[in-house]
Amino acid sequence: MSLRHTALDALHRSLGATMTDFAGWDMPLRYGSEREEHLAVRNRAGLFDLSHMGEITVSGPQAGAMLDHALVGFISALGVLRARYTMICREDGGILDDLIVYRTAEDEYMVVANASNAQVVLDALTERAEGFDAVVRDDRDAYALIAVQGPEANGILASVTDADLPGLKYYALLPATVAGRQVWLARTGYTGEDGFEVFCAPADAEHLWQALTEAGTGAGLVPCGLSCRDTLRLEAGMPLYGHELSTDLTPFDAGLGRVVRFDKTTNDGAFVGRKALEQAAAEAESNPPRKLVGLVSEGKRVPRAEYDVVDADGTVIGRITSGTPSPTLGRPIAIAYLDAAHAEPGTAVAVDVRGKHEPVEVVALPFYKRAR
Amino acid sequence: MSNPKHLQYTKEHEWLTAAEDGVSTVGITAHAADALGDIVYVQLPEVGDTVTAGETCGELESTKSVSDLYSPATGEIVEVNQAVIDDNSLVNSAPFEGGWLFKVRVEATDELLDADAYTAFIGG
């Protein structure tokens, strides 16, 4: 199968990006040093092409009620121009994907799915819309998505838009004009920094990328690839589908039970997966099997996804879901599912790094929190 | 980036110098360093170890992956580059110079490529 290309593909190549296959998309992995890109986002600003994310529009008089039925969140309770992190689960409670839902109008929502799950989410929403007065539209090709992230993001964006940025709260969005182009401007980052996402027409993507690049040059903005996006989100303790989240786990297993809203008032409180999730909630309360924790390594070797976590006797007590050298902490960090008995912060455990047990310490997530 | 003419190369992307008093210096090429990305951990053989041409003798770990380091020569390790162990980024910033990895008393080598052949091999 041939790879899909974003509207910014030619630009990435002109910038000398190292490209990688990500969920069927040919995406920039890094432009130069991924470490420098990471630190640019922490200290200044970074520019990301996220056009591989999957946008799905749900509209109609019962759009909110339909999403309350299809997703675990209380979507119809969301204010217009607000956003929410939520999940779509199977009947058995397994996570199909984690999502951000933006309410773009009284009777319209934009659901943003991970690239790898966009088709699955589209199919599930289409099926679950049956019987509701709501229309599910595949808008994957209607949008390109550019993110500006970092402490300088606000100033950079302010120089190319008249939009009310101080009035744009975290997890909110606005219709706005940026560098002369009509966009949806959202404040929903995935890096642990302040930042913005610009949903635009693919035909406008290059113009906007260039305008933001020029606006950010003095502030030290650099183009950033998926490699540093992953290390940034890992430091911020944010889950990634396929690593921390999967169909084998419920939101409660992932420590994200708060996204499941049993208090919905639409559809008599019924939603796909409710029964299984009620069970999962009770089990997480009384007898949690494993917990999602952070690990910080004392050495230099990196605990990576799929590596076993072991106790002093070498007994396997968990498994790494994501691991990386942390540019901000200067040490390797990892996220792992760990038996509840060992999950207390401060506990000394070890990771089996290709046969050698490297000592690590259990810590609370996230590893990094920006000063506000 | 060009591959220095005075070095010899392996298809596993190591370079080594012509032996001086029987000793060659070994590193990885700029092409390999670039493909790996930022190196964050370097595990090298120790002085006195015997390494074998074509076999693994260490590890190079980058942000995203772990790669085996293959020895281009058979022989005894006479020196390792402490500067690289202390500052892994030398492998990225100066792969053919300050980022060298170890020195080996060469008894035999794998099949080696000259700079032109290696450049052609990596599609340059």
Side-chain angles (χ1 to χ4, degrees):
Chain A
M1 200 177 77
S2 66
L3 291 175
R4 301 179 68 181
H5 300 273
T6 78
L8 294 164
D9 190 69
L11 234 165
H12 298 319
R13 287 166 206 282
S14 74
L15 290 169
T18 300
M19 306 296 285
T20 188
D21 173 2
F22 185 85
W25 289 83
D26 200 16
M27 298 298 291
L29 182 66
R30 55 189 160 87
Y31 299 84
S33 155
E34 61 249 315
R35 188 176 176 278
E36 278 164 31
E37 291 170 19
H38 179 112
L39 294 173
V41 174
R42 285 277 176 262
N43 301 318
R44 305 188 303 275
L47 193 59
F48 295 84
D49 178 9
L50 304 177
S51 301
H52 59 310
M53 302 294 286
E55 296 86 2
I56 301 160
T57 300
V58 181
S59 57
Q62 288 191 299
M66 183 293 228
L67 289 169
D68 286 344
H69 159 71
L71 311 180
V72 301
F74 193 177
I75 307 302
S76 63
L78 193 60
V80 175
L81 300 183
R82 299 308 296 258
R84 185 141 304 166
Y85 177 75
T86 185
M87 293 183 183
I88 180 166
C89 290
R90 301 191 304 199
E91 221 31 275
D92 70 358
I95 303 165
L96 278 176
D97 200 9
D98 62 337
L99 309 164
I100 293 179
V101 178
Y102 299 88
R103 187 167 193 174
T104 47
E106 185 58 36
D107 59 358
E108 188 172 273
Y109 300 81
M110 179 167 65
V111 177
V112 179
N114 285 295
S116 52
N117 293 329
Q119 189 63 48
V120 168
V121 174
L122 179 67
D123 291 346
L125 288 180
T126 304
E127 194 188 311
R128 293 176 189 187
E130 209 167 298
F132 287 91
D133 189 359
V135 175
V136 176
R137 188 175 71 220
D138 178 1
D139 267 347
R140 285 177 289 183
D141 294 336
Y143 292 106
L145 178 56
I146 297 170
V148 197
Q149 293 280 311
E152 300 288 343
N154 188 82
I156 291 166
L157 201 60
S159 71
V160 290
T161 182
D162 292 334
D164 175 23
L165 298 184
L168 181 59
K169 301 258 184 299
Y170 190 51
Y171 267 71
L173 81 163
L174 274 177
T177 304
V178 174
R181 308 298 158 99
Q182 202 56 41
V183 304
W184 280 109
L185 190 59
R187 200 169 205 158
T188 43
Y190 189 60
T191 61
E193 298 301 328
D194 187 19
F196 301 87
E197 283 75 47
V198 182
F199 292 89
C200 65
D204 292 336
E206 235 183 80
H207 171 78
L208 286 164
W209 180 280
Q210 298 285 27
L212 288 164
T213 299
E214 275 168 43
T217 303
L221 172 135
V222 298
C224 292
L226 292 183
S227 180
C228 83
R229 180 171 155 88
D230 191 47
T231 54
L232 288 159
R233 72 93 194 166
L234 225 162
E235 284 184 349
M238 296 187 186
L240 175 63
Y241 199 87
H243 289 254
E244 286 72 37
L245 309 176
S246 75
T247 49
D248 295 336
L249 299 166
T250 71
F252 294 96
D253 297 320
L256 291 164
R258 61 185 162 78
V259 305
V260 181
R261 294 285 296 271
F262 295 118
D263 62 339
K264 298 186 208 188
T265 50
T266 46
N267 318 320
D268 296 325
F271 62 92
V272 177
R274 174 162 192 139
K275 207 174 156 204
L277 288 168
E278 277 171 344
Q279 266 179 13
E283 208 173 282
E285 185 83 12
S286 62
N287 183 28
R290 285 191 166 183
K291 283 189 171 175
L292 195 66
V293 300
L295 301 174
V296 174
S297 175
E298 294 166 20
K300 290 183 83 176
R301 302 175 90 211
V302 184
R304 295 180 188 273
E306 309 282 300
Y307 288 6
D308 285 333
V309 183
V310 296
D311 66 8
D313 303 329
T315 307
V316 175
I317 52 168
R319 176 156 276 220
I320 306 275
T321 49
S322 299
T324 192
S326 161
T328 306
L329 274 65
R331 303 163 76 184
I333 57 172
I335 299 178
Y337 278 108
L338 209 56
D339 288 350
H342 299 270
E344 198 59 36
T347 308
V349 296
V351 176
D352 186 332
V353 180
R354 301 181 295 285
K356 192 162 173 268
H357 292 179
E358 297 280 344
V360 293
E361 186 188 327
V362 178
V363 297
L365 292 170
F367 301 97
Y368 167 84
K369 217 170 185 172
R370 80 184 153 104
R372 282 171 203 257
Chain B
M1 69 204 85
S2 65
N3 297 299
K5 294 281 184 204
H6 67 282
L7 301 174
Q8 292 187 290
Y9 300 86
T10 69
K11 288 184 175 178
E12 276 78 39
H13 310 289
E14 290 89 19
W15 55 261
L16 80 169
T17 59
E20 221 172 287
D21 296 333
V23 173
S24 286
T25 304
V26 173
I28 66 163
T29 66
H31 171 78
D34 191 55
L36 284 169
D38 294 335
I39 307 281
V40 296
Y41 173 71
V42 176
Q43 189 209 349
L44 298 176
E46 288 178 19
V47 172
D49 284 358
T50 299
V51 293
T52 306
E55 292 191 3
T56 62
C57 64
E59 258 175 29
L60 295 172
E61 188 146 12
S62 65
T63 306
K64 284 285 152 229
S65 65
V66 190
S67 295
D68 283 325
L69 173 66
Y70 293 91
S71 179
T74 299
E76 187 189 342
I77 300 292
V78 296
E79 190 179 345
V80 294
N81 189 356
Q82 188 60 42
V84 149
I85 293 170
D86 296 340
D87 178 7
N88 308 146
S89 72
L90 283 171
V91 179
N92 294 106
S93 62
F96 293 117
E97 289 142 11
W100 63 275
L101 300 177
F102 59 80
K103 296 185 181 188
V104 56
R105 189 172 302 285
V106 177
E107 291 167 19
T109 65
D110 243 357
E111 184 199 345
L112 299 172
L113 308 173
D114 65 18
D116 289 342
Y118 178 71
T119 302
F121 173 69
I122 60 175

